[in-house]
Amino acid sequence: MDNRRIYTVTKLNEYIERMFKTDFVLGSVCVSGELKSIRTTDRGDTYFQLKEGNCVLQGVLWADRSGALTFSMEKGQKVIVTGPIRMYKEGGTFSIHAYKIEKEGIGEQAKRFEKLKRELQERGMFAEEYKQTIPFYVRRLGVVTAAGGAAIRDIISTAKERNPYVEIILYPAQVQGERAPLSIVRGIQALDKYGVDVMIVGRGGGSQEDLEAFNTEMVAQAIFDCATPIISAVGHEIDVSISDFVADQRAATPTAAAGLAVRKISDLEGAMEEYQKRLDLLMNNHLLKEKALRDRYEQILTKYSPEHRMGNYRDVYEHEKQRLNMYMDAHIKAAHVRRDRYDQILLQFEPEKRVRKERERLELSADKLHESMERIVTLKRHRLEILCGSLEARSPLERLGGGYVYARNGVGKSLCSVEDVRTGEEIILTLKDGEVVTKVGDIRPAGALVPG
């Protein structure tokens, strides 16, 4: 026969609950510990955890007693909580129901955090001048986080939604535990060597102990030494880690990190259209400048071309010829006028004999005048022929008749040296009576000319 007394779970929990209520010490106890986690409900009740080493005590501050709290509770703070220990029989757990919470100081973990933060800041690892810019367009995104966590799922989902063409490369690192810092460092170094455009280093939310790997000097140094821009995304928005200060940019969550690293494809298309417009504008301006320069060179070439210079010489020749003809006509007209005047005078005042003598003298003078005019005309014509010969001697066309040629390439550029010509290129040779179009078969510099 079994004489044991068997209790139900409810009876046992009720018995323990009564023990907590009747125990003198547990009725009002002061407990010192470090705040591990804090959660406030919509009703205003605050649930928290006190820790010391590996031991944890649950606690609650009811909303009707929150007015007694004189400071803002934060993780890592060391506090003294005063209140009774009560049993929650339905859950089989116990907690301290605080009616007074005093700030004792910063916990050991927070002290280590602040000390490392000061040391790294003094070494310049937080300085803005060392921060790298996140690329505008990312083809290859590197991620250092746990393979099966929610962080990588959020990153992939957000990145692919913004740009389905981005390549995501994951280094599955341990993000929690003693081996986590070394695993994270190896992931950063591996992806940096592999060659990604930007890197996201982080994990999802958790307790302060869970995020401790990202508050180590080893990880901070690896982020600082990395040549690839790094976005730190550790925990939730309220969580701040050392890696956030060292990284090139900090994101509140892994999802936000993916949004910072990968731009929307529509933004990229808009940027490409804007760049295309700017490129078209620059090209049009460049073409207008080149066209104006080409027109100027064409004017210069036209001014100094052989055809233009020949036209100038021809105008000079015609002008001088016209002046000479006008001079000769004027002298001949003046001679006729004088002869007619003398004839009239002889007819009015001289006898016939004298008139005859005067007529003979006048005829003789007319002959001399005619001879003189002939001589002057001959001299002027000879002078004109000399000028015309000089003009023809200076004419480029006359030089072409002497065996010289004027050479230019297919686009009309004058050929002044063998360096302006390429074998097989088509060139145009201008002769006195026409043009010859030929192709270059061989090029011989001056030192390589073959006699005959």
Side-chain angles (χ1 to χ4, degrees):
M1 186 175 182
D2 191 354
N3 294 325
R4 292 178 299 171
R5 186 173 183 179
I6 300 175
Y7 294 91
T8 64
V9 174
T10 302
K11 292 294 184 180
L12 181 60
N13 285 355
E14 289 176 350
Y15 177 78
I16 297 174
E17 182 183 14
R18 287 195 298 271
M19 288 182 60
F20 277 113
K21 289 181 179 180
T22 57
D23 188 278
F24 176 78
V25 175
L26 300 181
S28 179
V29 63
C30 295
V31 182
S32 173
E34 183 179 333
L35 289 173
K36 180 180 178 183
S37 65
I38 304 169
R39 181 176 62 87
T40 302
T41 65
D42 296 336
R43 294 174 52 188
D45 300 329
T46 302
Y47 293 90
F48 59 90
Q49 289 180 327
L50 288 178
K51 73 162 189 170
E52 181 185 20
N54 296 326
C55 296
V56 176
L57 173 64
Q58 304 293 331
V60 60
L61 177 65
W62 301 115
D64 57 352
R65 293 184 177 272
S66 60
L69 189 63
T70 59
F71 63 95
S72 177
M73 298 173 63
E74 296 179 1
K75 293 180 181 180
Q77 289 178 337
K78 197 164 186 181
V79 296
I80 299 175
V81 180
T82 303
I85 303 297
R86 291 290 180 260
M87 174 75 176
Y88 176 57
K89 64 179 180 180
E90 285 79 4
T93 60
F94 64 90
S95 61
I96 183 170
H97 290 204
Y99 59 79
K100 183 179 180 181
I101 301 178
E102 305 170 89
K103 181 190 281 188
E104 182 179 355
I106 301 176
E108 293 300 323
Q109 186 176 10
K111 288 181 180 179
R112 291 195 303 270
F113 179 90
E114 293 297 330
K115 180 181 178 182
L116 180 59
K117 180 180 174 182
R118 285 194 303 271
E119 290 178 356
L120 298 183
Q121 188 170 17
E122 291 174 358
R123 286 157 57 179
M125 294 176 67
F126 302 164
E128 288 296 326
E129 52 265 31
Y130 295 123
K131 305 293 184 184
Q132 302 182 75
T133 303
I134 305 302
F136 181 81
Y137 178 67
V138 175
R139 294 183 178 85
R140 185 178 291 173
L141 172 64
V143 182
V144 178
T145 189
I152 185 61
R153 292 194 298 271
D154 294 341
I155 290 173
I156 293 175
S157 175
T158 303
K160 290 297 183 179
E161 181 181 354
R162 297 173 70 88
N163 183 2
Y165 307 107
V166 68
E167 180 184 1
I168 301 176
I169 301 174
L170 168 67
Y171 184 93
Q174 294 184 26
V175 294
Q176 184 175 335
E178 295 181 358
R179 299 182 179 180
L182 181 59
S183 179
I184 295 170
V185 169
R186 288 176 177 174
I188 294 173
Q189 294 173 347
L191 291 183
D192 188 30
K193 185 177 180 181
Y194 184 77
V196 295
D197 298 318
V198 70
M199 196 184 308
I200 296 176
V201 177
R203 57 157 294 162
S207 65
Q208 199 66 25
E209 288 80 6
D210 297 338
L211 309 180
E212 187 63 22
F214 298 92
N215 294 323
T216 59
E217 182 178 1
M218 178 188 299
V219 173
Q221 189 67 49
I223 294 175
F224 184 78
D225 295 337
C226 184
T228 304
I230 290 181
I231 300 175
S232 175
V234 180
H236 300 298
E237 186 172 358
I238 61 173
D239 297 318
V240 179
S241 63
I242 294 296
S243 63
D244 293 337
F245 295 105
V246 185
D248 300 293
Q249 194 163 345
R250 185 229 178 205
T253 62
T255 302
L260 292 173
V262 182
R263 291 183 178 270
K264 291 183 178 179
I265 194 69
S266 57
D267 295 342
L268 298 175
E269 292 172 350
M272 289 178 64
E273 292 178 359
E274 183 64 25
Y275 289 147
Q276 183 66 43
K277 292 179 181 178
R278 292 175 59 185
L279 180 61
D280 291 342
L281 179 61
L282 292 174
M283 286 299 297
N284 290 334
N285 292 338
H286 180 72
L287 289 175
L288 290 176
K289 291 180 181 179
E290 291 297 325
K291 184 178 179 181
L293 186 62
R294 182 201 64 187
D295 295 341
R296 180 184 174 189
Y297 286 155
E298 286 182 352
Q299 293 176 359
I300 295 174
L301 289 174
T302 302
K303 180 179 179 181
Y304 292 102
S305 65
E307 292 83 0
H308 182 74
R309 297 180 66 182
M310 281 298 299
N312 291 338
Y313 290 140
R314 190 176 295 108
D315 293 340
V316 173
Y317 169 77
E318 293 295 336
H319 179 69
E320 292 295 331
K321 182 179 179 181
Q322 186 178 4
R323 285 183 58 192
L324 180 59
N325 290 335
M326 291 175 61
Y327 179 77
M328 292 175 62
D329 292 342
H331 275 277
I332 293 173
K333 184 176 181 180
H336 285 298
V337 170
R338 285 195 297 271
R339 186 188 66 181
D340 293 341
R341 188 176 62 180
Y342 289 153
D343 287 342
Q344 291 175 2
I345 292 173
L346 288 175
L347 290 174
Q348 294 177 3
F349 300 102
E350 293 292 338
E352 183 179 350
K353 185 177 179 180
R354 189 172 179 180
V355 170
R356 187 169 58 251
K357 287 185 178 181
E358 288 297 329
R359 183 177 287 118
E360 291 176 354
R361 188 177 63 82
L362 184 60
E363 289 176 354
L364 181 62
S365 297
D367 293 338
K368 290 181 179 181
L369 179 61
H370 184 71
E371 290 177 0
S372 178
M373 289 302 298
E374 288 287 342
R375 187 167 55 253
I376 291 173
V377 171
T378 301
L379 290 175
K380 292 294 183 179
R381 183 176 286 109
H382 183 62
R383 171 71 174 168
L384 182 59
E385 290 175 354
I386 292 174
L387 289 175
C388 291
S390 177
L391 288 175
E392 290 180 357
R394 295 180 181 180
S395 173
L397 295 178
E398 186 66 23
R399 293 175 178 248
L400 296 178
Y404 294 94
V405 296
Y406 167 62
R408 64 186 190 274
N409 59 18
V411 296
K413 180 181 178 182
S414 299
L415 303 178
C416 303
S417 170
V418 293
E419 296 180 355
D420 297 336
V421 187
R422 300 290 181 272
T423 302
E425 181 181 6
E426 186 177 89
I427 63 174
I428 303 172
L429 306 178
T430 302
L431 304 175
K432 181 178 180 181
D433 53 354
E435 294 181 342
V436 176
V437 180
T438 183
K439 286 189 177 180
V440 179
D442 190 14
I443 300 175
R444 299 176 181 172
L449 295 178
V450 180

